[in-house]
Amino acid sequence: MQNDMIENLARQLLDLDEGALRPREKAVIERIVKRLAVSHNLNVIYEDAATPGQRLADHVAAVGGSWGFIIGFGVVIALWALLNTVILASDAFDPYPFIFLNLMLSLLAAIQAPVIMMSQNRQAARDRIAANHDYEVNLKAEIEIAALHEKLARIRSEDLALLTERVEQAVGKV
């Protein structure tokens, strides 16, 4: 029974037979037949599946890519330069050209860049999953709309047939 309904929906609404359906399309039609929802919150599912390292990478990318980090880091560098040129002048622990500061900045960039790349890769994977989910939701909406159009057309034709019958009966009585 269920396979017949799936095949009928596939043929009527997608102009495909059941064998030509891709797995995602078949899953959407099965959910329609069972009257189940297709949409769900991907953020919850994705966050539940994240490892602690992935969560850390996301957090580092969020902090490292923020205006707060950029402004704060600019202030730290300005204070470093002020401390080592004006305040400590002759006793500076990192005199101009700030070799130790350059080393720290290089180390930060060497660590931060791959972590941000991990987070970007994770975001790309999340975007692919979201795009697939959007496709399934849109497909279900399209199928449901097509089914409603078909149902309305059937109701209109039944009403038209009934009205035609009544007009014929009324004309026959006159």
Side-chain angles (χ1 to χ4, degrees):
M1 174 71 179
Q2 185 176 340
N3 286 339
D4 293 339
M5 291 178 71
I6 291 171
E7 190 161 339
N8 287 339
L9 279 173
R11 199 173 298 118
Q12 290 173 353
L13 305 175
L14 297 176
D15 292 329
L16 299 170
D17 61 359
E18 187 179 359
L21 287 176
R22 289 179 285 183
R24 280 190 309 179
E25 294 163 342
K26 186 171 181 174
V28 169
I29 292 177
E30 285 174 357
R31 293 185 76 80
I32 289 171
V33 168
K34 294 177 183 176
R35 298 281 185 224
L36 299 173
V38 172
S39 62
H40 46 277
N41 189 346
L42 292 178
N43 292 327
V44 172
I45 294 168
Y46 206 76
E47 287 305 316
D48 288 346
T51 65
Q54 290 171 330
R55 282 196 268 287
L56 178 64
D58 289 345
H59 186 67
V60 167
V63 171
S66 69
W67 280 108
F69 177 80
I70 293 169
I71 292 168
F73 210 67
V75 168
V76 167
I77 291 173
L79 288 174
W80 184 284
L82 183 67
L83 181 69
N84 283 291
T85 55
V86 177
I87 298 172
L88 296 176
S90 62
D91 293 332
F93 59 89
D94 188 21
Y96 182 81
F98 311 119
I99 294 172
F100 185 67
L101 176 63
N102 282 323
L103 175 64
M104 291 296 110
L105 291 174
S106 296
L107 285 173
L108 177 67
I111 293 169
Q112 194 178 24
V115 171
I116 290 173
M117 290 297 292
M118 285 189 289
S119 180
Q120 287 177 336
N121 289 339
R122 217 166 98 70
Q123 185 61 44
R126 179 184 288 188
D127 291 344
R128 282 190 297 276
I129 291 169
N132 287 336
H133 180 257
D134 288 346
Y135 171 75
E136 290 173 3
V137 169
N138 291 341
L139 179 63
K140 181 178 182 200
E142 187 177 331
I143 290 170
E144 292 288 354
I145 289 169
L148 286 173
H149 279 290
E150 186 177 306
K151 190 174 191 176
L152 283 173
R154 189 176 66 248
I155 290 171
R156 278 192 197 133
S157 65
E158 288 171 2
D159 286 348
L160 185 60
L162 182 64
L163 286 173
T164 304
E165 183 181 318
R166 286 183 181 168
V167 167
E168 288 173 354
Q169 287 176 356
V171 170
K173 289 182 181 178
V174 174

